[in-house]
Amino acid sequence: AQSVAQPEDQVNVAEGNPLTVKCTYSVSGNPYLFWYVQYPNRGLQFLLKYITGDNLVKGSYGFEAEFNKSQTSFHLKKPSALVSDSALYFCAVRERNTGGFKTIFGAGTRLFVKA
Amino acid sequence: NAGVTQTPKFRILKIGQSMTLQCTQDMNHNYMYWYRQDPGMGLKLIYYSVGAGITDKGEVPNGYNVSRSTTEDFPLRLELAAPSQTSVYFCASSYPQDTDTQYFGPGTRLTVL
């Protein structure tokens, strides 16, 4: 069975500092991996995805994520955090060759960026 | 485009009441989904549809029903509301060629007392 874990409920970082939001996954075969962001009282917004190819994926708003197969991780990163990055971040996974309806979402990590 | 719209935004139900959560998308997406989001939990898929007239159960379908008479609309029906159905409900849609990029509505916050 596939699963995804976000080990931190909350991440605090000062504005201008680099940020990392962690995600690890478990699937039977090759994974497709995603990050979504949720701002208060809004639905989730797609940030980026890893399908195949380069392990470093760049997405919206200056975010990037690195796929590490040996560590089964897909951590979200940004070189310099902004206060406006404060939101709830969800990692998601599904096994290759399955449909989008097989996507499993993590519990979410709340990011606080302090001015 | 308005994207994915959901109504109502908030609703309080009494145990045993019924209601329909509305979802409409104007992007001509074939695929539509209903999720629930409970505190500290990831999204759980309730039902999904790959096109008009076709629906299927997700991970947590019990207590819910759906229909898909048009490409645009995907209503979610609660027949006998229970406190366990207190949650935030999100509708989403996607292209069949790219089911991984899902577009979410703003959500409906439902409380069952």
Side-chain angles (χ1 to χ4, degrees):
Chain A
Q2 55 191 33
S3 65
V4 60
Q6 295 180 243
E8 302 155 316
D9 291 334
Q10 184 170 311
V11 170
N12 298 311
V13 64
E15 188 173 35
N17 283 0
L19 70 87
T20 298
V21 182
K22 295 180 180 178
C23 172
T24 58
Y25 67 89
S26 174
V27 295
S28 303
N30 292 313
Y32 287 176
L33 294 151
F34 316 90
W35 277 101
Y36 283 81
V37 60
Q38 183 182 28
Y39 298 102
N41 301 313
R42 302 287 296 275
L44 278 68
Q45 294 179 32
F46 173 81
L47 269 181
L48 51 81
K49 66 181 176 183
Y50 169 81
I51 302 297
T52 188
D54 195 348
N55 289 346
L56 185 64
V57 179
K58 294 188 184 297
S60 306
Y61 313 123
F63 283 94
E64 58 188 27
E66 186 167 14
F67 170 60
N68 187 318
K69 188 172 184 178
S70 62
Q71 296 186 1
T72 61
S73 67
F74 190 57
H75 301 330
L76 181 71
K77 300 181 180 183
K78 188 173 182 180
S80 179
L82 299 172
V83 172
S84 58
D85 292 331
S86 298
L88 189 57
Y89 290 81
F90 290 92
C91 183
V93 65
R94 72 171 176 87
E95 191 173 339
R96 199 172 294 181
N97 299 323
T98 61
F101 45 84
K102 293 293 188 183
T103 303
I104 301 296
F105 288 83
T109 298
R110 191 165 297 280
L111 173 67
F112 285 105
V113 181
K114 191 175 179 181
Chain B
N1 288 350
V4 180
T5 57
Q6 293 182 238
T7 56
K9 290 186 178 179
F10 306 95
R11 184 72 185 270
I12 298 175
L13 285 181
K14 294 182 179 179
I15 294 172
Q17 286 186 318
S18 61
M19 76 164 294
T20 299
L21 282 66
Q22 301 292 344
C23 174
T24 300
Q25 53 89 13
D26 63 357
M27 296 174 283
N28 204 30
H29 287 171
N30 295 84
Y31 284 43
M32 295 188 74
Y33 317 80
W34 273 106
Y35 293 93
R36 58 178 288 171
Q37 182 184 32
D38 299 321
M41 308 283 287
L43 278 70
K44 301 291 185 183
L45 184 64
I46 304 171
Y47 270 95
Y48 67 96
S49 169
V50 300
I54 306 169
T55 63
D56 208 345
K57 296 178 181 178
E59 187 180 356
V60 289
N62 291 345
Y64 307 94
N65 277 301
V66 294
S67 60
R68 184 94 183 269
S69 56
T70 66
T71 299
E72 294 79 18
D73 300 307
F74 191 40
L76 178 71
R77 178 86 177 159
L78 283 71
E79 289 293 350
L80 293 170
S84 61
Q85 294 177 305
T86 294
S87 189
V88 181
Y89 291 84
F90 288 102
C91 179
S93 68
S94 68
Y95 288 110
Q97 305 95 318
D98 182 15
T99 59
D100 300 313
T101 304
Q102 297 186 28
Y103 297 81
F104 284 80
T108 294
R109 185 174 295 274
L110 175 67
T111 302
V112 182
L113 301 173

